[in-house]
Structures are given as C-alpha cells and as structure tokens.
Amino acid sequence: MTTAVPGAPARHSRSGDADAIVARESRHVLQTYKRNPITFVRGQGVRLYDVDGREYLDLLSGIGVASLGHGHPALARAVGEQAQTLIHTSNLFYHPLQGELAERLAELSGLPRAFFCNSGTEAVEACLKFARRYWHTKREPRAEFIALDESFHGRTFGSLSVTSDEHYRAPFEPLVPTVKFVRTNDGAALAATVSRATAAIIAEPVIGEGGIRPLTPEFAAAIRQACARTGALFIADEVQSGLGRTGYPFYFQALGLTPHLVALGKALGGGVPIGAALVGQEVADTVSYGDHGTTYGGNLLACRAALTVLGEIFDRGIAENVKRVAPAFEQRLRAIAAKHPIVKEVRGAGLMWGLELGRDAAPVVPAGLERGVIVNRTAETVVRLLPPYIITEAEALEALGRLDATLGAVGASS
Ligand SMILES: *Cc1c(COP(=O)(O)O)cnc(C)c1O
C-alpha cells in the first residue's frame, strides 16, 4: 500500500480511476467520439503511459500533432515560460511573436504572408474565404471550388463542403452548393471540370484521412495546367502532410506545385492549438482590414509553441532525423506488409504511411493497443501511421515489431 502525501494530487494508479473517468465522460461529454478504452496520463518522447502505468509506442502522434513527441523539454520550457510572461492579448494589439512566426513560415514555404487561427479547419476556411475575396476584388465573382473524391478538409461548414465523405456531409446538408468533386489522381477529369467559373482547386498533396494517398506527379501537372489555363487558384491543404512530415517542409514542393494558399495545422504547435493560412502576394493584395479575424488566432502562447516547434524541426536536426529514419521505417514496413496477406498496399512518404488492408482495419487498433503500439484506422480499410518526428530508428523498429505481431493476430482471426 502507498501512503498519500498530504496536499499532493491523487496519483492515478488503479483501473478504478480509469472506470470513473469513462463514467463521468459518458454522462457529461457530448458523445461525438467513439474512444478507445485507454486513459493516457503521461508521455515521454515516442512513449505514452496510461492510468495503470502501461507503456505504449506512439505511431500516431495524436493524429499528426505531437511532432516533437511527448514531454519535449524545449517545448515544455517555452510554453511554461510564455504562460508566466503573457499568454494572450487579442489581435487588437501587436506582440513580438506573430511577425516572427509569419516570417519563418514565409521562408519555408515561399508564400509571403500568414493568417493565424486555431485549427486545421479554420485554416481551410480562411483559404476558401480568401479565394472568394480574390475573385470579388477582380470583379469576376467566381464561386466554384473543385475538390477531390477522398478529400478531408475539416468539420466546419466551408471545410465540410469541400470534404467528400457522405458520412460526414449528409446530416448537415445543405452545404456550400458550389463544389464539384473529381477523382483523385485523374488528370483528365480535373481538366474537364476546371473552368473559368472555378475560384480555386483545393487538394491535400498527400491525402490523409482519405487513406494516405500521395498525389501523382502527373496529377500535379494537371493542377498546374488547369490553373494556368483558367486562372483558378490552387489551395494546398498541408494540415496533415506539411511541416516536415513527408521529409519535405511541404509536400507541394515535392510535387513542383506553387499554391496560392496553403492551410496548416496539426504539427505546427506540437499539441498547442494553432492553425495558419499562408497566402501568396496576389491574393494577399486583395484582402483588406476587417475581411477576416479571430479572437485567439496567433496569440503569444500559440506562436511561442509554433516557433519552438519550427526551430527544433528545421534548425536543430529533427527534419534531418525524419530523412534519416524514414528509409528504414519504409523498408521495415514494406517487409512486414509482404508477410501479411491482409495487407494489399503500402502508401506514403517520409513518416506518413498507410497500409491498405483487404478488409475493415478497425480490429487492428485494439489489437495494437493490447501489444503496446498506437495506430489508427482511416477510410475504413487503412491503417494510418504518423509517428513523431523525433522517433529513432531503434524505436521505429521496436514499434513496427509490435505492429507485425498485431497484423499477425488480426490476420489469423479473419
Ligand atoms: C485534420 C485535418 C484538417 C482539420 O483540422 P482540425 O484541426 O481537425 O480542424 C483539415 N485538413 C486536413 C488535411 C487534415 O488532415
């Protein structure tokens, strides 16, 4: 038996705590998430620990967010220091960090301006609004957006309107009506659909939620040609694929694309909520005071977190770590996939991978948790892997070993 220290917070050490947490949520939290029955209380690097002290290797990073892993000392220090200094002042005043972060993102992306918000969906909303604003200013009010069949751009009305999945859309219709979807990586379909009525094409350079599907170089060329022919803008949604995840700062760079607008989120704050819309000069020139805004967007805490994350990734060797570990990760993943007949295809880039199964991938998640590895199912049949950028080769091989055992168990029972 342990003795409680007076005044110390209760230590979560028994499963009873987990049950109480689940019971309280089930009474009072709106039931929009079907959670796995695991309660995490602590993290360190690529490892997470649950309320019973069990250890897990995290190949998901809170859906691509914990880019520096968990409990990162520099991020923890920066956020703690900033919280004690100044968290928030609103966008009615200047503070020193927003311009610094915008400048950093401009250097990385080539897009000179940034608008800061709090999530990926808000970044997409901003891009859609700025695209409409551009055509409004040009006195050629184009309304139409072209999006892809497996797209996911977020849950607010505008972003949902360019998201293809009927499951997400149907309960909330009517959505923004001026959206057309084309088949992913079908250049001819894109060419046939984009016209002088198109305000913008929006696409994820690597489709994430829709099953980890990198756009092909041929399709990227079709996007370039369609934009050149019609004047349509191109919005790159790099919320999941951006900021070093694929081994490039942005995957649009790997595809040779030059977007007019880029949406960012997920990895940017390392877990502190922040999103950004990056804006090319031609579009930026059409945006005026008051056109868009947010109370929290780009506050000191969020900007300090993002500056720390970008500094670690691009100045202190983490991008190089992704490039170093990614080939070994891919090689091991392909070797494992080849052993398990339930795996039909392996897709991805850098540290962003999907295993397409010949069946529903849902049972892989609990089977992985039982074996101490965290993965996710997306697009019904895909096992998604988004490990933290700080993962070492040894940790990657250990985690993939657990995934190997998991696929073996799921394959044997199907
Ligand atoms: C996650 C995601 C979004 C939405 O981001 P939220 O922070 O959940 O609003 C948008 N686009 C892509 C590509 C995403 O992966």
PDB file of all heavy atoms in Angstrom, residues 63 118-122 124 152-155 204 206 208-209 237-240 266 384, ligand 1:
ATOM      1  N   ILE A  63      -2.836  12.070 -33.937  1.00  0.00           N
ATOM      2  CA  ILE A  63      -3.172  12.359 -35.340  1.00  0.00           C
ATOM      3  C   ILE A  63      -2.255  13.437 -35.919  1.00  0.00           C
ATOM      4  O   ILE A  63      -2.701  14.505 -36.371  1.00  0.00           O
ATOM      5  CB  ILE A  63      -4.666  12.694 -35.557  1.00  0.00           C
ATOM      6  CG1 ILE A  63      -5.572  11.794 -34.703  1.00  0.00           C
ATOM      7  CG2 ILE A  63      -5.024  12.538 -37.049  1.00  0.00           C
ATOM      8  CD1 ILE A  63      -7.060  11.941 -34.991  1.00  0.00           C
ATOM      9  N   ASN A 118      -6.753  28.727 -35.173  1.00  0.00           N
ATOM     10  CA  ASN A 118      -6.594  27.805 -34.044  1.00  0.00           C
ATOM     11  C   ASN A 118      -6.711  26.330 -34.403  1.00  0.00           C
ATOM     12  O   ASN A 118      -6.634  25.493 -33.521  1.00  0.00           O
ATOM     13  CB  ASN A 118      -7.638  28.133 -32.970  1.00  0.00           C
ATOM     14  CG  ASN A 118      -7.730  29.628 -32.756  1.00  0.00           C
ATOM     15  OD1 ASN A 118      -6.816  30.230 -32.207  1.00  0.00           O
ATOM     16  ND2 ASN A 118      -8.794  30.226 -33.249  1.00  0.00           N
ATOM     17  N   SER A 119      -6.936  26.029 -35.662  1.00  0.00           N
ATOM     18  CA  SER A 119      -7.155  24.633 -36.048  1.00  0.00           C
ATOM     19  C   SER A 119      -6.997  24.505 -37.552  1.00  0.00           C
ATOM     20  O   SER A 119      -6.928  25.515 -38.273  1.00  0.00           O
ATOM     21  CB  SER A 119      -8.572  24.197 -35.659  1.00  0.00           C
ATOM     22  OG  SER A 119      -9.514  24.950 -36.399  1.00  0.00           O
ATOM     23  N   GLY A 120      -6.983  23.248 -37.993  1.00  0.00           N
ATOM     24  CA  GLY A 120      -6.867  22.986 -39.422  1.00  0.00           C
ATOM     25  C   GLY A 120      -8.093  23.447 -40.191  1.00  0.00           C
ATOM     26  O   GLY A 120      -7.990  24.058 -41.257  1.00  0.00           O
ATOM     27  N   THR A 121      -9.268  23.160 -39.644  1.00  0.00           N
ATOM     28  CA  THR A 121     -10.483  23.529 -40.374  1.00  0.00           C
ATOM     29  C   THR A 121     -10.585  25.039 -40.528  1.00  0.00           C
ATOM     30  O   THR A 121     -11.007  25.549 -41.569  1.00  0.00           O
ATOM     31  CB  THR A 121     -11.735  22.917 -39.717  1.00  0.00           C
ATOM     32  OG1 THR A 121     -12.801  22.931 -40.662  1.00  0.00           O
ATOM     33  CG2 THR A 121     -12.160  23.642 -38.458  1.00  0.00           C
ATOM     34  N   GLU A 122     -10.153  25.779 -39.518  1.00  0.00           N
ATOM     35  CA  GLU A 122     -10.177  27.239 -39.643  1.00  0.00           C
ATOM     36  C   GLU A 122      -9.175  27.731 -40.680  1.00  0.00           C
ATOM     37  O   GLU A 122      -9.409  28.754 -41.341  1.00  0.00           O
ATOM     38  CB  GLU A 122      -9.831  27.885 -38.304  1.00  0.00           C
ATOM     39  CG  GLU A 122     -10.937  27.883 -37.299  1.00  0.00           C
ATOM     40  CD  GLU A 122     -10.410  28.398 -35.975  1.00  0.00           C
ATOM     41  OE1 GLU A 122     -10.373  29.620 -35.783  1.00  0.00           O
ATOM     42  OE2 GLU A 122     -10.000  27.570 -35.147  1.00  0.00           O
ATOM     43  N   VAL A 124      -8.402  26.097 -43.398  1.00  0.00           N
ATOM     44  CA  VAL A 124      -9.059  25.841 -44.684  1.00  0.00           C
ATOM     45  C   VAL A 124     -10.144  26.888 -44.936  1.00  0.00           C
ATOM     46  O   VAL A 124     -10.252  27.432 -46.037  1.00  0.00           O
ATOM     47  CB  VAL A 124      -9.631  24.416 -44.735  1.00  0.00           C
ATOM     48  CG1 VAL A 124     -10.504  24.216 -45.964  1.00  0.00           C
ATOM     49  CG2 VAL A 124      -8.496  23.387 -44.710  1.00  0.00           C
ATOM     50  N   PHE A 152     -10.413  15.265 -47.243  1.00  0.00           N
ATOM     51  CA  PHE A 152     -10.902  15.662 -45.925  1.00  0.00           C
ATOM     52  C   PHE A 152     -10.288  17.014 -45.596  1.00  0.00           C
ATOM     53  O   PHE A 152      -9.065  17.157 -45.557  1.00  0.00           O
ATOM     54  CB  PHE A 152     -10.519  14.650 -44.838  1.00  0.00           C
ATOM     55  CG  PHE A 152     -10.998  15.079 -43.474  1.00  0.00           C
ATOM     56  CD1 PHE A 152     -12.277  14.763 -43.046  1.00  0.00           C
ATOM     57  CD2 PHE A 152     -10.180  15.830 -42.638  1.00  0.00           C
ATOM     58  CE1 PHE A 152     -12.731  15.189 -41.792  1.00  0.00           C
ATOM     59  CE2 PHE A 152     -10.631  16.253 -41.392  1.00  0.00           C
ATOM     60  CZ  PHE A 152     -11.907  15.931 -40.971  1.00  0.00           C
ATOM     61  N   HIS A 153     -11.141  18.022 -45.349  1.00  0.00           N
ATOM     62  CA  HIS A 153     -10.618  19.360 -45.080  1.00  0.00           C
ATOM     63  C   HIS A 153     -11.119  19.945 -43.766  1.00  0.00           C
ATOM     64  O   HIS A 153     -10.787  21.096 -43.454  1.00  0.00           O
ATOM     65  CB  HIS A 153     -10.949  20.297 -46.245  1.00  0.00           C
ATOM     66  CG  HIS A 153     -10.309  19.873 -47.542  1.00  0.00           C
ATOM     67  ND1 HIS A 153      -8.952  19.867 -47.731  1.00  0.00           N
ATOM     68  CD2 HIS A 153     -10.849  19.409 -48.694  1.00  0.00           C
ATOM     69  CE1 HIS A 153      -8.671  19.440 -48.965  1.00  0.00           C
ATOM     70  NE2 HIS A 153      -9.808  19.158 -49.562  1.00  0.00           N
ATOM     71  N   GLY A 154     -11.934  19.187 -43.003  1.00  0.00           N
ATOM     72  CA  GLY A 154     -12.371  19.694 -41.707  1.00  0.00           C
ATOM     73  C   GLY A 154     -13.871  19.647 -41.551  1.00  0.00           C
ATOM     74  O   GLY A 154     -14.605  19.223 -42.451  1.00  0.00           O
ATOM     75  N   ARG A 155     -14.348  20.104 -40.390  1.00  0.00           N
ATOM     76  CA  ARG A 155     -15.741  19.865 -39.973  1.00  0.00           C
ATOM     77  C   ARG A 155     -16.618  21.106 -39.934  1.00  0.00           C
ATOM     78  O   ARG A 155     -17.806  20.981 -39.645  1.00  0.00           O
ATOM     79  CB  ARG A 155     -15.743  19.257 -38.564  1.00  0.00           C
ATOM     80  CG  ARG A 155     -14.839  18.068 -38.388  1.00  0.00           C
ATOM     81  CD  ARG A 155     -15.332  16.850 -39.138  1.00  0.00           C
ATOM     82  NE  ARG A 155     -14.730  15.664 -38.569  1.00  0.00           N
ATOM     83  CZ  ARG A 155     -15.403  14.541 -38.316  1.00  0.00           C
ATOM     84  NH1 ARG A 155     -16.677  14.462 -38.599  1.00  0.00           N
ATOM     85  NH2 ARG A 155     -14.791  13.517 -37.801  1.00  0.00           N
ATOM     86  N   GLU A 204      -5.250  18.025 -50.880  1.00  0.00           N
ATOM     87  CA  GLU A 204      -4.175  17.639 -49.964  1.00  0.00           C
ATOM     88  C   GLU A 204      -3.060  17.028 -50.817  1.00  0.00           C
ATOM     89  O   GLU A 204      -3.303  16.037 -51.496  1.00  0.00           O
ATOM     90  CB  GLU A 204      -4.661  16.579 -48.978  1.00  0.00           C
ATOM     91  CG  GLU A 204      -5.802  17.002 -48.078  1.00  0.00           C
ATOM     92  CD  GLU A 204      -6.627  15.791 -47.623  1.00  0.00           C
ATOM     93  OE1 GLU A 204      -6.218  15.120 -46.673  1.00  0.00           O
ATOM     94  OE2 GLU A 204      -7.667  15.516 -48.242  1.00  0.00           O
ATOM     95  N   VAL A 206      -0.656  15.122 -49.959  1.00  0.00           N
ATOM     96  CA  VAL A 206      -0.829  13.705 -49.624  1.00  0.00           C
ATOM     97  C   VAL A 206      -2.180  13.610 -48.925  1.00  0.00           C
ATOM     98  O   VAL A 206      -2.360  14.172 -47.838  1.00  0.00           O
ATOM     99  CB  VAL A 206       0.262  13.159 -48.672  1.00  0.00           C
ATOM    100  CG1 VAL A 206       0.016  11.662 -48.404  1.00  0.00           C
ATOM    101  CG2 VAL A 206       1.651  13.391 -49.233  1.00  0.00           C
ATOM    102  N   GLY A 208      -4.765  12.527 -46.525  1.00  0.00           N
ATOM    103  CA  GLY A 208      -4.521  11.925 -45.215  1.00  0.00           C
ATOM    104  C   GLY A 208      -5.654  11.028 -44.770  1.00  0.00           C
ATOM    105  O   GLY A 208      -5.620   9.800 -44.956  1.00  0.00           O
ATOM    106  N   GLU A 209      -6.676  11.669 -44.193  1.00  0.00           N
ATOM    107  CA  GLU A 209      -7.884  10.981 -43.722  1.00  0.00           C
ATOM    108  C   GLU A 209      -8.450  10.015 -44.781  1.00  0.00           C
ATOM    109  O   GLU A 209      -8.940   8.942 -44.451  1.00  0.00           O
ATOM    110  CB  GLU A 209      -8.922  12.056 -43.410  1.00  0.00           C
ATOM    111  CG  GLU A 209      -9.900  11.725 -42.331  1.00  0.00           C
ATOM    112  CD  GLU A 209      -9.293  11.794 -40.951  1.00  0.00           C
ATOM    113  OE1 GLU A 209      -8.212  12.400 -40.760  1.00  0.00           O
ATOM    114  OE2 GLU A 209      -9.904  11.194 -40.048  1.00  0.00           O
ATOM    115  N   ASP A 237      -3.888  21.948 -49.054  1.00  0.00           N
ATOM    116  CA  ASP A 237      -4.186  21.654 -47.649  1.00  0.00           C
ATOM    117  C   ASP A 237      -3.069  20.758 -47.118  1.00  0.00           C
ATOM    118  O   ASP A 237      -3.062  19.554 -47.332  1.00  0.00           O
ATOM    119  CB  ASP A 237      -5.553  20.975 -47.514  1.00  0.00           C
ATOM    120  CG  ASP A 237      -5.906  20.684 -46.055  1.00  0.00           C
ATOM    121  OD1 ASP A 237      -5.006  20.794 -45.196  1.00  0.00           O
ATOM    122  OD2 ASP A 237      -7.074  20.327 -45.789  1.00  0.00           O
ATOM    123  N   GLU A 238      -2.110  21.403 -46.443  1.00  0.00           N
ATOM    124  CA  GLU A 238      -0.959  20.680 -45.872  1.00  0.00           C
ATOM    125  C   GLU A 238      -1.124  20.504 -44.367  1.00  0.00           C
ATOM    126  O   GLU A 238      -0.134  20.367 -43.636  1.00  0.00           O
ATOM    127  CB  GLU A 238       0.343  21.434 -46.189  1.00  0.00           C
ATOM    128  CG  GLU A 238       0.691  21.467 -47.666  1.00  0.00           C
ATOM    129  CD  GLU A 238       1.737  20.411 -48.080  1.00  0.00           C
ATOM    130  OE1 GLU A 238       2.081  19.529 -47.253  1.00  0.00           O
ATOM    131  OE2 GLU A 238       2.195  20.486 -49.233  1.00  0.00           O
ATOM    132  N   VAL A 239      -2.372  20.511 -43.899  1.00  0.00           N
ATOM    133  CA  VAL A 239      -2.620  20.392 -42.455  1.00  0.00           C
ATOM    134  C   VAL A 239      -1.981  19.111 -41.902  1.00  0.00           C
ATOM    135  O   VAL A 239      -1.393  19.122 -40.819  1.00  0.00           O
ATOM    136  CB  VAL A 239      -4.136  20.439 -42.153  1.00  0.00           C
ATOM    137  CG1 VAL A 239      -4.435  20.048 -40.712  1.00  0.00           C
ATOM    138  CG2 VAL A 239      -4.689  21.831 -42.445  1.00  0.00           C
ATOM    139  N   GLN A 240      -2.062  18.020 -42.667  1.00  0.00           N
ATOM    140  CA  GLN A 240      -1.508  16.751 -42.194  1.00  0.00           C
ATOM    141  C   GLN A 240      -0.126  16.462 -42.802  1.00  0.00           C
ATOM    142  O   GLN A 240       0.736  15.893 -42.144  1.00  0.00           O
ATOM    143  CB  GLN A 240      -2.482  15.610 -42.538  1.00  0.00           C
ATOM    144  CG  GLN A 240      -2.198  14.321 -41.816  1.00  0.00           C
ATOM    145  CD  GLN A 240      -3.353  13.325 -41.868  1.00  0.00           C
ATOM    146  OE1 GLN A 240      -3.158  12.130 -41.925  1.00  0.00           O
ATOM    147  NE2 GLN A 240      -4.580  13.802 -41.833  1.00  0.00           N
ATOM    148  N   LYS A 266      -2.295  20.893 -37.314  1.00  0.00           N
ATOM    149  CA  LYS A 266      -1.728  19.679 -36.718  1.00  0.00           C
ATOM    150  C   LYS A 266      -0.315  19.857 -36.120  1.00  0.00           C
ATOM    151  O   LYS A 266      -0.201  20.287 -34.991  1.00  0.00           O
ATOM    152  CB  LYS A 266      -1.801  18.522 -37.712  1.00  0.00           C
ATOM    153  CG  LYS A 266      -3.262  18.084 -37.941  1.00  0.00           C
ATOM    154  CD  LYS A 266      -3.409  16.663 -38.436  1.00  0.00           C
ATOM    155  CE  LYS A 266      -4.849  16.193 -38.309  1.00  0.00           C
ATOM    156  NZ  LYS A 266      -5.698  16.428 -39.477  1.00  0.00           N
ATOM    157  N   ARG A 384      -3.319   3.767 -40.413  1.00  0.00           N
ATOM    158  CA  ARG A 384      -2.547   5.004 -40.615  1.00  0.00           C
ATOM    159  C   ARG A 384      -1.434   5.124 -39.587  1.00  0.00           C
ATOM    160  O   ARG A 384      -1.659   4.925 -38.398  1.00  0.00           O
ATOM    161  CB  ARG A 384      -3.477   6.214 -40.530  1.00  0.00           C
ATOM    162  CG  ARG A 384      -2.730   7.529 -40.630  1.00  0.00           C
ATOM    163  CD  ARG A 384      -3.649   8.713 -40.842  1.00  0.00           C
ATOM    164  NE  ARG A 384      -4.791   8.775 -39.933  1.00  0.00           N
ATOM    165  CZ  ARG A 384      -5.634   9.809 -39.889  1.00  0.00           C
ATOM    166  NH1 ARG A 384      -5.451  10.840 -40.693  1.00  0.00           N
ATOM    167  NH2 ARG A 384      -6.648   9.795 -39.058  1.00  0.00           N
TER     168      ARG A 384
HETATM  169  C1  LIG B   1      -7.018  17.209 -39.686  1.00  0.00           C
HETATM  170  C2  LIG B   1      -7.173  17.876 -40.983  1.00  0.00           C
HETATM  171  C3  LIG B   1      -7.976  19.026 -41.125  1.00  0.00           C
HETATM  172  C4  LIG B   1      -8.793  19.585 -39.994  1.00  0.00           C
HETATM  173  O1  LIG B   1      -8.010  20.004 -38.924  1.00  0.00           O
HETATM  174  P1  LIG B   1      -8.701  20.258 -37.483  1.00  0.00           P
HETATM  175  O2  LIG B   1      -7.588  20.803 -36.661  1.00  0.00           O
HETATM  176  O3  LIG B   1      -9.206  18.927 -37.018  1.00  0.00           O
HETATM  177  O4  LIG B   1      -9.790  21.221 -37.696  1.00  0.00           O
HETATM  178  C5  LIG B   1      -8.015  19.638 -42.365  1.00  0.00           C
HETATM  179  N1  LIG B   1      -7.329  19.159 -43.403  1.00  0.00           N
HETATM  180  C6  LIG B   1      -6.559  18.054 -43.314  1.00  0.00           C
HETATM  181  C7  LIG B   1      -5.792  17.583 -44.500  1.00  0.00           C
HETATM  182  C8  LIG B   1      -6.472  17.368 -42.098  1.00  0.00           C
HETATM  183  O5  LIG B   1      -5.724  16.263 -42.022  1.00  0.00           O
END
